[in-house]
Amino acid sequence: MAMAIMDDHGAMEFESKLESAIATVARVLHTTRHPKIANQVHHRYDDKFGLASWCTNISIASQLNCLSRLGLSQDHVTILQGWVEGGSSVSLRFRAEETCDFSCEVSREVDEPNKYKEEVRSRGRMSRTFFSSKVVTTITEYIWEFKAKWELCVVRGVGKVEGDVLVLSSTACEHNIKTSTKSSPRPEAVVPAKMAEVDITWLISQLLSQDGPIPSDNEGAPSNVASKVASKVPAFTIDRASPACKTPRRNPEVENALGYFIRFRAWSQDVCSYFFNNLFNIQRAPGQNMAALSSLGTVFVPTVPLFEEGHDPTVGWTEGQGPADLAHDGTSVIATLGAPSSPNPLSAEVVGGETSVCLGSADANAFLSEEYRSMSVKLSDVAQTLPSDDSLITKSNGSVCVVLRHCMKVCAAMGESLNFIEQMLRKQLVDAIGKHVTPHDFSEYMVYHNRKLFHGDYAPRPFSYGVRRTANHSPEGTLSILSRQSSSAIAEPIMTLVSRGETVATPPMTFPISAAANVTFNGERYLHAHLLHTFSGTSASTLEISAQARQFSSMMVMVGTISSASSFEPKYAAIVQNKDELTIPLELSTIPTPKEFKEAVVSISPKQQAFAKMFRSMQLASTLFGVVVVQIKPALEQILNLPPDSLTKELRLTQDLMELFIEYQIPTDLLKYDTEPAGGGGGDGGGGGESAVAAVKGHVAAIRGMIDKAKKKEIEEARAKKELEMLNTRRSTIQASYSMRRNSELDSDSDECDEEEEEYLDEGEVEILPTSAYCDVEDVRDDGEEADFFGGGLGNAMEKMDVMEAKMGGNDIVVNKEAAAPLNSTDLPTPAGGEPASSKLVSSTAAPVDGPAATGASMGAKAVVARDYTKVPNQLNAQFESLDEDNCLRPTIVKPGDLWIKKAQASLLAARTTQHIDGDAQKVEKDKAFALLDAITKSGALPLDHAQLHVVVAATHAFEKSVTETVIQDNMSPIEKAERSTLILAKTVHERATAELISPTQLERVVGTSPGLFLEEGR
């Protein structure tokens, strides 16, 4: 029997079944009675508990009465009650045995239906004689005697002694099987052929004796008092005071009842399968009527979830109503529902002036009576259809199948009725809200809820930050962490609990850009905590880092981990500029809750525990990741000795500087503005004004001129080399042609040969190549025209090529030595009023500089202790363990995904392009970013003052069910649970007492719903 959640379609199908049952109910009850399906009657929440108990009790009575058809008597039940009270379990056991023995061999003759006629004529006289013949086949058949016997008994415990087994019924049957070969169609003996057992301890434990106490007889013999007991009364109740009781459907008592009915239905199906698929198949013949066994539509199922308004459940009950009134065919039923005064949950209840709309005991007994009557009619039909002999398909075997199949229908109706009650709750909740609440709807509500819950200073904020120098400056771009519910949904910034560090009092942090260089950075520090929610069948929202730069703006983004209180470990880095949009997906994975971890390691060895704890410490550290954003323009101004904001409007200069630093790795000393202090001597001064920018522009122009000149020469070299290769090829062709002509005309006059050579060249078979790429200056005229390289005939051409090859050293081209030589002092630009820039040329990997920038002591003489972000995961882990009552808060590991997306626009009029950045491309982006960092910090000698550090930690509240089922099945508000988890995070992030975080208007309510958050605070 499927006990799955009933959806709207399943509820409609069940209601259609109930409509036909209501027609029978109308005939059973008085004409003035009009019960309806429960969801069509106005009722209270308590009525649903009464309906659950009513359906369970009537199902118990129905099953006992059905078992009475299989041999269970009231005396048997009394004995079973004694066994259960004595602490023994009781099982219902079906056991079958089969044998197949050879009986005899039978031969018979079978005439062929066709006859043959033969005519014979004699010669003397004209006479004819006719003979007829036919074919007779002898068939030998082998008769096998198949015997089967089964018994149904009740067993105490394992049935180790004879008194522990009570046989309810048994049958022996046989059938002769014919085969054409002497080979047994069945095994000679199968013992047992079928063994099926089901525990019915729960069923017996729910019974009370209506007329007195339950007699106890541990010896197994029927008690003398048993015969005086009129009937057994089901006494199933739901303990609503138990903390485990959540809803009419979700409580320990109903769960135990459903578990029993599921097991009994499976047992009944197993036994019926033995009869239909095994025994009956041996004897079944074509055309045999088996409809009486398969159709049970006429048998009434009493388990129907009905309500009735305006009817007192006690009306209709008369004293003495019991099994005698429900007797049919001289046999009484075992179980009925007791009078309202008995210990029965179906008694009338008045709450708030309203009477329960549940049906009463008298109605239940009327339903049981109709069930008993309709079952008797059905068994009578079976008796008339099937024989009563000792064959296989008989009345006794068929009756067992009919009864057990009806039990299966009652079990199914029991489960469907209880699920229908829960579906009523579900539909009422949806009707109240107007929709099915999705995880996205729940997340949206929690944003709204947290705005009311928290004090303004501590309320969650969207993770979207402008990257700007000061409030008076326009942002260079934005940094956001976005949440996306699906691939097609619009991404929105996540809400985080934010703790901002004091910028002035925060000591600097460092991060490495190479094995020999660490960069120090200052600026704003943020600690973010984000709570995700997951529900059954859904995953958490996908998160992504989004860095967007404005036009003519630039910034650097680094993603990594926090390795210590003063160090950041960048794993990835990229430069974002000029309307670039970089998207880095974040991969989320949860680890066990603190309580789950402790429960898992409690029973392993100390060494195994140590290993698990070390690995978990690494996992907790991975829940913390950081994002650093560096503004590039302020760092360029600092390294180039330019006044603040000097590059704000110098867009082309900024782009040229970044290109020189990244692509060509030009040392910053070649480009910075140098001033000479008063008193002479070299040194760096605090330049300012337009002259400083102009000087830097001059340096950039000079360096770019040199780069362009070097590029041009490289192009010329490549062209000269290519043309020389073409010239050598053509020279080989000319030499070969010339030799062939000389050999073929040895007797010709030399002058004639010269004329032919000139004619050959004049015909255009040899292309005269331009010479500017590979001739010396003297080979090119001043007016730019090409020299007559082939002037004077083929001989002169060959001679010139030899001379040129000698000049060029064979196939290797040698350019002007001045162009090929490395940069020297005469090639470098000379700043106005200063010495050549080469005098200050330094390596891009300068040695570490001792001083405030390197030691981080620039914050002043007073030592400042910054918050150690690496301790946050352990602090949260401890809070989860002590305050998470539901054990649902899971630390969440967040790390960048493997495939990034970068949208860029090459120029103002170009279309935006999308680039997917994988591992190799990510390495290229990181190298570019670190090359720029190396330049603008002098390999870590200068600090970065304009930077933002965002430290993010995440946790996931994992609900085991969907949003609706959490409310319906657990009778719990997920809002309160998520609220408590959010407060646990906020308490750790802000390092404040819970009462300080909450709005005064919400404090009293939160103390009532989550008192554990305030125990240590004395509230």
Side-chain angles (χ1 to χ4, degrees):
M1 174 175 53
M3 289 299 179
I5 297 173
M6 180 179 288
D7 55 12
D8 294 337
H9 179 71
M12 292 177 61
E13 289 185 349
F14 183 65
E15 287 182 36
S16 65
K17 296 179 184 178
L18 293 179
E19 292 294 344
S20 61
I22 288 178
T24 303
V25 170
R27 295 192 298 268
V28 172
L29 299 179
H30 196 275
T31 55
T32 59
R33 302 289 303 281
H34 302 287
K36 299 179 181 180
I37 301 175
N39 62 354
Q40 300 175 2
V41 177
H42 176 72
H43 59 275
R44 298 170 291 114
Y45 181 64
D46 294 337
D47 292 329
K48 290 184 172 69
F49 280 94
L51 182 59
S53 298
W54 191 89
C55 290
T56 305
N57 279 300
I58 201 170
S59 298
I60 294 172
S62 171
Q63 189 164 102
L64 284 171
N65 295 334
C66 288
L67 290 178
S68 70
R69 303 284 188 173
L70 302 179
L72 184 68
S73 66
Q74 293 184 13
D75 291 342
H76 289 148
V77 175
T78 303
I79 295 172
L80 301 183
Q81 287 180 294
W83 288 355
V84 171
E85 286 194 346
S88 299
S89 63
V90 179
S91 301
L92 191 61
R93 176 185 297 172
F94 176 86
R95 188 177 189 275
E97 299 178 0
E98 296 177 0
T99 60
C100 186
D101 300 322
F102 178 73
S103 177
C104 61
E105 179 180 329
V106 178
S107 298
R108 58 188 176 89
E109 293 182 349
V110 178
D111 295 342
E112 188 173 337
N114 298 325
K115 292 184 178 181
Y116 303 93
K117 187 176 183 181
E118 183 178 358
E119 180 180 351
V120 179
R121 294 185 179 185
S122 59
R123 292 186 177 182
R125 298 178 181 179
M126 297 298 294
S127 62
R128 292 182 298 176
T129 305
F130 296 92
F131 298 92
S132 61
S133 64
K134 62 180 180 181
V135 178
V136 178
T137 303
T138 301
I139 298 177
T140 302
E141 294 179 332
Y142 302 91
I143 309 301
W144 304 86
E145 188 177 33
F146 173 79
K147 294 183 179 181
K149 63 178 181 179
W150 59 264
E151 68 176 11
L152 184 65
C153 57
V154 183
V155 182
R156 175 167 62 174
V158 295
K160 60 183 178 180
V161 297
E162 184 177 355
D164 291 342
V165 179
L166 297 178
V167 178
L168 303 183
S169 59
S170 63
T171 298
C173 51
E174 61 182 31
H175 178 69
N176 290 336
I177 304 175
K178 297 178 182 180
T179 62
S180 58
T181 61
K182 198 174 183 178
S183 177
S184 178
R186 309 280 295 186
E188 182 176 353
V190 180
V191 180
K194 184 66 178 180
M195 175 71 80
E197 194 167 334
V198 60
D199 192 323
I200 61 172
T201 306
W202 179 88
L203 178 69
I204 304 301
S205 66
Q206 302 302 313
L207 300 177
L208 294 175
S209 295
Q210 183 175 350
D211 294 340
I214 300 173
S216 177
D217 185 0
N218 294 331
E219 298 300 326
S223 173
N224 295 328
V225 187
S227 60
K228 300 178 182 180
V229 177
S231 66
K232 306 301 179 185
V233 179
F236 174 84
T237 57
I238 298 175
D239 183 8
R240 298 187 61 180
S242 171
C245 179
K246 300 175 180 178
T247 67
R249 166 64 178 82
R250 307 290 169 172
N251 55 79
E253 291 77 22
V254 167
E255 293 292 346
N256 292 335
L258 283 173
Y260 165 76
F261 283 105
I262 289 175
R263 293 190 299 271
F264 192 88
R265 183 177 189 271
W267 176 84
S268 301
Q269 187 173 15
D270 195 19
V271 174
C272 289
S273 177
Y274 170 74
F275 282 102
F276 279 97
N277 300 332
N278 191 31
L279 285 186
F280 294 168
N281 279 340
I282 297 175
Q283 183 181 341
R284 184 178 300 176
Q288 188 170 12
N289 184 14
M290 302 291 290
L293 301 181
S294 57
S295 176
L296 298 177
T298 58
V299 182
F300 179 67
V301 177
T303 307
V304 283
L306 303 178
F307 282 152
E308 185 178 14
E309 287 184 300
H311 174 70
D312 189 348
T314 62
V315 175
W317 178 267
T318 59
E319 291 297 331
Q321 183 176 11
D325 301 320
L326 305 179
H328 295 279
D329 299 333
T331 305
S332 298
V333 298
I334 295 178
T336 60
L337 271 64
S341 58
S342 65
N344 181 25
L346 304 182
S347 58
E349 182 180 4
V350 179
V351 179
E354 296 186 16
T355 305
S356 172
V357 295
C358 293
L359 300 183
S361 301
D363 301 326
N365 289 335
F367 292 172
L368 292 173
S369 177
E370 172 60 20
E371 177 194 33
Y372 198 92
R373 184 201 65 80
S374 60
M375 175 62 74
S376 297
V377 173
K378 181 64 179 178
L379 294 179
S380 176
D381 294 341
V382 172
Q384 296 178 19
T385 305
L386 302 179
S388 301
D389 55 14
D390 58 354
S391 60
L392 302 182
I393 306 179
T394 60
K395 168 188 173 182
S396 60
N397 289 345
S399 298
V400 172
C401 294
V402 168
V403 172
L404 291 183
R405 293 188 64 171
H406 178 69
C407 286
M408 293 168 57
K409 293 185 66 175
V410 173
C411 292
M414 159 69 178
E416 289 174 342
S417 298
L418 292 176
N419 286 337
F420 181 71
I421 295 173
E422 185 172 84
Q423 176 61 17
M424 291 167 55
L425 290 170
R426 188 178 296 109
K427 186 176 185 304
Q428 290 169 338
L429 178 65
V430 173
D431 291 344
I433 298 176
K435 61 179 297 185
H436 286 276
V437 181
T438 65
H440 179 62
D441 297 330
F442 181 78
S443 298
E444 286 184 341
Y445 174 80
M446 290 309 301
V447 174
Y448 163 79
H449 181 79
N450 289 335
R451 283 200 297 265
K452 299 190 303 179
L453 173 66
F454 284 94
H455 190 279
D457 295 337
Y458 303 108
R461 292 178 173 81
F463 192 111
S464 183
Y465 292 84
V467 181
R468 66 174 77 204
R469 193 177 305 192
T470 64
N472 296 325
H473 289 76
S474 296
E476 296 287 305
T478 58
L479 175 71
S480 306
I481 296 183
L482 306 178
S483 172
R484 194 184 300 272
Q485 296 293 329
S486 63
S487 58
S488 59
I490 299 176
E492 299 176 351
I494 64 173
M495 303 299 292
T496 62
L497 300 158
V498 189
S499 173
R500 179 177 178 178
E502 295 294 334
T503 305
V504 177
T506 303
M509 295 183 68
T510 62
F511 62 87
I513 57 174
S514 66
N518 289 326
V519 174
T520 302
F521 69 96
N522 301 299
E524 299 170 328
R525 311 280 171 81
Y526 299 90
L527 173 61
H528 304 265
H530 178 58
L531 179 66
L532 300 106
H533 314 101
T534 60
F535 294 89
S536 175
T538 61
S539 58
S541 304
T542 58
L543 303 185
E544 57 190 36
I545 299 175
S546 177
Q548 301 180 15
R550 296 192 176 185
Q551 186 67 54
F552 307 123
S553 301
S554 58
M555 60 184 181
M556 186 182 303
V557 178
M558 292 179 287
V559 180
T561 59
I562 309 298
S563 56
S564 69
S566 60
S567 60
F568 170 73
E569 289 286 342
K571 303 296 183 183
Y572 308 93
I575 298 173
V576 184
Q577 58 182 334
N578 297 332
K579 297 183 70 174
D580 287 351
E581 181 179 348
L582 179 64
T583 301
I584 304 176
L586 298 176
E587 296 179 353
L588 308 176
S589 60
T590 60
I591 61 176
T593 65
K595 294 179 182 178
E596 290 175 344
F597 176 77
K598 283 195 170 183
E599 292 173 358
V601 302
V602 68
S603 59
I604 61 179
S605 70
K607 291 292 184 181
Q608 295 166 345
Q609 289 183 8
F611 172 79
K613 290 177 180 179
M614 291 178 182
F615 202 85
R616 183 173 176 83
S617 65
M618 182 272 294
Q619 290 177 318
L620 289 175
S622 301
T623 63
L624 198 70
F625 83 104
V627 182
V628 173
V629 184
V630 177
Q631 299 182 45
I632 296 177
K633 287 182 181 179
L636 289 175
E637 293 167 355
Q638 180 185 17
I639 195 67
L640 297 175
N641 286 340
L642 296 177
D645 288 341
S646 298
L647 297 179
T648 300
K649 299 180 181 179
E650 297 293 339
L651 307 178
R652 181 54 186 267
L653 177 59
T654 303
Q655 295 296 319
D656 289 343
L657 288 169
M658 292 178 60
E659 181 182 1
L660 293 176
F661 292 147
I662 297 172
E663 300 295 335
Y664 303 103
Q665 298 187 9
I666 302 298
T668 55
D669 287 345
L670 301 182
L671 301 173
K672 71 177 182 180
Y673 172 64
D674 297 322
T675 58
E676 187 171 339
D684 295 342
E690 298 181 359
S691 59
V693 176
V696 172
K697 285 184 177 179
H699 301 333
V700 170
I703 294 296
R704 291 197 66 90
M706 293 175 54
I707 293 174
D708 292 342
K709 182 178 179 181
K711 287 181 179 180
K712 183 177 180 181
K713 289 185 178 296
E714 289 180 5
I715 295 173
E716 296 294 333
E717 291 173 7
R719 183 182 300 163
K721 184 174 181 179
K722 182 65 176 179
E723 293 181 354
L724 179 60
E725 292 175 354
M726 295 173 60
L727 183 62
N728 288 334
T729 302
R730 295 179 183 273
R731 181 176 66 175
S732 300
T733 304
I734 295 172
Q735 287 178 339
S737 177
Y738 179 76
S739 299
M740 291 174 63
R741 293 194 179 191
R742 298 290 292 181
N743 293 334
S744 62
E745 300 178 358
L746 293 176
D747 298 333
S748 301
D749 183 76
S750 60
D751 294 336
E752 184 180 354
C753 292
D754 293 339
E755 293 176 2
E756 292 178 357
E757 292 172 6
E758 293 176 1
E759 292 176 359
Y760 176 70
L761 294 174
D762 292 339
E763 290 175 357
E765 296 184 21
V766 177
E767 182 181 355
I768 305 302
L769 301 177
T771 60
S772 59
Y774 46 81
C775 296
D776 288 340
V777 179
E778 16 329 335
D779 293 328
V780 183
R781 296 193 182 99
D782 294 337
D783 57 4
E785 297 180 0
E786 298 176 359
D788 186 7
F789 189 76
F790 289 109
L794 181 61
N796 291 336
M798 299 298 295
E799 180 179 356
K800 287 192 175 185
M801 282 191 289
D802 293 337
V803 172
M804 178 181 173
E805 184 176 6
K807 290 182 177 181
M808 303 180 74
N811 293 330
D812 297 328
I813 300 177
V814 179
V815 297
N816 191 303
K817 292 182 179 180
E818 181 180 355
L823 296 176
N824 52 52
S825 59
T826 59
D827 298 320
L828 300 175
T830 303
E835 56 183 328
S838 62
S839 62
K840 294 182 174 61
L841 182 63
V842 296
S843 171
S844 62
T845 56
V849 178
D850 296 333
T855 61
S858 59
M859 303 305 298
K862 182 178 179 180
V864 178
V865 179
R867 183 171 186 178
D868 188 354
Y869 295 124
T870 60
K871 295 181 179 179
V872 173
N874 289 323
Q875 293 171 354
L876 284 173
N877 191 65
Q879 296 281 27
F880 292 170
E881 183 177 0
S882 61
L883 301 178
D884 181 21
E885 300 174 0
D886 299 321
N887 197 27
C888 293
L889 263 178
R890 300 179 180 274
T892 303
I893 299 175
V894 184
K895 64 178 182 179
D898 296 330
L899 188 63
W900 303 357
I901 298 176
K902 184 177 183 180
K903 296 180 180 180
Q905 188 173 355
S907 60
L908 292 176
L909 300 180
R912 289 179 67 83
T913 59
T914 301
Q915 176 188 2
H916 292 83
I917 305 176
D918 57 7
D920 294 337
Q922 292 171 13
K923 178 66 167 56
V924 173
E925 294 288 339
K926 181 179 180 180
D927 291 343
K928 289 181 180 180
F930 279 14
L932 180 60
L933 284 172
D934 185 81
I936 63 180
T937 63
K938 287 191 175 181
S939 296
L942 297 179
L944 296 171
D945 292 328
H946 295 273
Q948 287 182 2
L949 170 63
H950 297 271
V951 181
V952 183
V953 64
T956 301
H957 190 118
F959 293 94
E960 296 181 353
K961 302 179 179 68
S962 66
V963 180
T964 302
E965 300 311 319
T966 299
V967 179
I968 297 301
Q969 296 185 12
D970 295 341
N971 194 29
M972 176 185 74
S973 171
I975 297 173
E976 296 177 357
K977 303 300 181 180
E979 174 187 82
R980 184 179 61 201
S981 298
T982 304
L983 289 172
I984 294 174
L985 288 177
K987 186 175 182 179
T988 307
V989 169
H990 293 295
E991 297 180 307
R992 293 287 188 273
T994 308
E996 298 180 37
L997 305 173
I998 301 175
S999 172
T1001 59
Q1002 301 290 321
L1003 183 58
E1004 183 178 355
R1005 179 189 61 81
V1006 177
V1007 171
T1009 57
S1010 302
L1013 297 176
F1014 304 90
L1015 292 179
E1016 298 179 359
E1017 301 169 11
R1019 296 187 66 91

